[in-house]
Amino acid sequence: MSFSPNLIALGEYLAGKFDNREQALADSAWFVHLHLWHRPVDLFTEDSITLFAEQANIVNLDQPYRQRIMRLMSGGGADAPLQLQYYMLKDPSALRGAGRNPALLKRLTVDQLDLLPGCILTVTQQTIAANSSKFTATQPPNTRCCFTYLNQIVQVALGFEATAAEFNSYDKGIDSDTGKATWGAILGPYRYTKREQY
């Protein structure tokens, strides 16, 4: 299947190694210095571009966390927005460190994933210059992204903006009882700069 130019561009913008060094130095009280990897993987290749995502604190690069799969898809029609569906690894520890060691991803199969039904984003594209776009991903109204981790139900609010050089994450943990953010992009997005293209 041939992919739309917008889907290909989104995949290229997201694939890479990122960090938020400048933000962490400027505002270390609120933003820790993180590395973020988005590695392409050969899953759902018939209709999607798929990435393995993982991040780590610069102080503990050998203890990465938030492993997830991002499946980028075309929308329902020619003019429909793109979509991004998240999946969770059934055993995150099996691929811990794959951001830095992509050889681990060669053994990843669809059977190792759990679909997260409410964890889907609508992705719109805006042209900002010749051959340059900004993608904005938001959760559709009235959706909740929840999953079970360490026998606890975790709710998150997801979203991002991406250009060829930057990735701004709006992901936050949500207290299901109060609806208030408990971690993540509480005071604004984590602003990552792309350091390496994959």
Side-chain angles (χ1 to χ4, degrees), residues 185-197:
I186 296 172
L187 294 182
Y190 272 76
R191 299 184 180 280
Y192 295 96
T193 299
K194 183 176 283 190
R195 307 297 183 189
E196 190 176 336
Q197 177 69 46

Side-chain angles (χ1 to χ4, degrees), residues 78-120:
D79 295 326
L82 302 175
Q83 293 185 327
L84 189 153
Q85 172 69 60
Y86 284 92
Y87 293 76
M88 183 174 180
L89 297 165
K90 292 178 181 176
D91 180 10
S93 64
L95 292 174
R96 184 165 288 127
R100 292 173 73 191
N101 181 10
L104 296 172
L105 295 171
K106 291 182 179 168
R107 59 182 182 223
L108 179 63
T109 65
V110 173
D111 296 339
Q112 295 171 278
L113 308 180
D114 282 329
L115 174 71
L116 298 173
C119 304
I120 191 164

Side-chain angles (χ1 to χ4, degrees), residues 2-14 49 72 82 135:
S2 61
F3 297 146
S4 72
N6 282 354
L7 184 61
I8 292 168
L10 176 62
E12 289 175 353
Y13 284 15
L14 292 181
I49 296 170
L72 318 176
L82 302 175
F135 291 94

Side-chain angles (χ1 to χ4, degrees), residues 116-120 139-146 153 155-156 176-177:
L116 298 173
C119 304
I120 191 164
Q139 282 184 247
N142 303 315
T143 60
R144 283 173 43 129
C145 178
C146 297
I153 294 185
Q155 182 181 346
V156 293
S176 297
D177 295 327

